[in-house]
Amino acid sequence: MHIHPVKGMRAVDVDSAQVEARGLKGDRRWLVVDADGKFLTQRSHPQLATIDATVTATGLRLSSNGNAIAIDRPDRKSRRRVVIWDSEVDAAIADASDFLSARLGGEVHLVFMDDDAIRMKDSVWTPKPEPVSFADAFPVLVTTTGSLAALNRDIEANGGAPVPMARFRPNIVVDCDGDWPEDHWRKLKIGDVVLDLVKPSDRCIVTTTDQQSGARMGKEPLASLARIHRSTDPRINGVIFGMNAVPRILGEVSVGAPVEIL
């Protein structure tokens, strides 16, 4: 299991996590935005992958190339409207602009999704709008070891090097055999938690980015996914890997817990 405290920055491995309506606790609750309040990701700023972000008791700790900064969880009174995809969110402003601007180039700011920051995902994939963090689509991203193995077999058969699961930035990785099993899952039970798998995860250039150096690594895994795992759903334009999920029953999940397909 993994959380990404700041959208686009390095993942943090966790042994257990509370599953909240907006996703795993601490996942993608912080966001980097430009001077106009528009969200930034590794699509445009792959160097985000070089920054470590750790949740602390009082807020967040960012570190990069030996430099670090402690950031307090911002006061609810200091706010700004930020844009992420088709959503506008009234987020709390954090004090990290100088640190991040020096590393990303140009003026950028850090914001926090506190309890007053509401983002609802209105989508054809769910019967009603769903609460979500600063994630691209839905609260939880689920992938499987079986699908990664199938993908890497094709990459290697075509002369490429296998890719790690980190390229896909998942929250929950299910250990299982078989090729693309998650394509046929609709509901998972992990401990007391129940997840509805609502939408295949369409993939972009971020999957070609090394999650330590921020370097673009070529055409894989997109080239292989284009050969063997494109969506046949007209609502999705492109290649897919993993499933977006919405929590239906909340609770705690732990690494090693059995996963039941409902």
Side-chain angles (χ1 to χ4, degrees):
M1 294 197 306
H2 316 280
I3 63 170
H4 308 79
V6 182
K7 182 178 179 67
M9 294 187 189
R10 286 178 180 167
V12 176
D13 300 341
V14 293
D15 292 327
S16 63
Q18 287 294 129
V19 178
E20 303 173 336
R22 291 192 283 193
L24 271 61
K25 184 176 181 178
D27 183 61
R28 296 174 170 96
R29 300 299 199 272
W30 301 76
L31 178 70
V32 181
V33 299
D34 65 14
D36 296 322
K38 185 176 180 180
F39 78 116
L40 302 182
T41 73
Q42 289 184 28
R43 295 172 181 86
S44 59
H45 292 72
Q47 61 268 46
L48 281 166
T50 68
I51 304 175
D52 285 300
T54 306
V55 176
T56 66
T58 57
L60 194 69
R61 182 180 186 273
L62 301 181
S63 60
S64 175
N65 297 323
N67 298 305
I69 182 175
I71 301 160
D72 290 334
R73 197 173 294 110
D75 189 312
R76 291 182 176 181
K77 295 180 181 179
S78 301
R79 314 190 71 82
R80 70 173 298 172
R81 301 290 288 181
V82 300
V83 177
I84 173 168
W85 297 116
D86 57 355
S87 300
E88 288 191 2
V89 181
D90 182 33
I93 303 170
D95 184 14
S97 181
D98 291 345
F99 181 88
L100 290 174
S101 296
R103 283 149 186 81
L104 299 179
E107 180 185 348
V108 300
H109 302 274
L110 184 69
V111 298
F112 176 62
M113 178 179 279
D114 59 11
D115 291 340
D116 294 332
I118 305 300
R119 182 185 176 208
M120 300 296 293
K121 179 72 174 182
D122 191 4
S123 169
V124 298
W125 299 95
T126 55
K128 61 181 179 63
E130 300 289 349
V132 66
S133 66
F134 288 127
D136 276 346
F138 290 95
V140 180
L141 180 58
V142 178
T143 61
T144 67
T145 58
S147 292
L148 184 66
L151 172 61
N152 280 330
R153 283 197 302 272
D154 187 81
I155 292 175
E156 292 180 287
N158 286 276
V163 299
M165 188 67 84
R167 293 278 193 92
F168 299 98
R169 299 178 64 79
N171 294 120
I172 295 175
V173 180
V174 180
D175 185 15
C176 64
D177 297 324
D179 300 354
W180 321 110
E182 68 274 17
D183 288 358
H184 311 289
W185 297 346
R186 293 297 172 262
K187 195 182 294 284
L188 297 181
K189 187 172 187 291
I190 310 174
D192 294 329
V193 172
V194 174
L195 302 173
D196 283 352
L197 276 60
V198 297
K199 175 187 176 292
S201 181
D202 45 321
R203 294 303 181 162
C204 68
I205 194 172
V206 172
T207 60
T208 69
T209 308
D210 182 272
Q211 291 301 302
Q212 290 297 310
S213 68
R216 303 289 197 210
M217 303 301 290
K219 297 180 179 179
E220 295 294 1
L222 295 179
S224 284
L225 287 173
R227 287 191 295 268
I228 64 175
H229 207 227
R230 294 188 66 90
S231 173
T232 59
D233 192 309
R235 295 171 293 181
I236 299 177
N237 180 26
V239 301
I240 53 176
F241 188 96
M243 290 290 291
N244 289 290
V246 174
R248 292 304 177 208
I249 298 179
L250 309 182
E252 186 176 28
V253 290
S254 299
V255 170
V259 178
E260 182 181 356
I261 304 165
L262 302 180

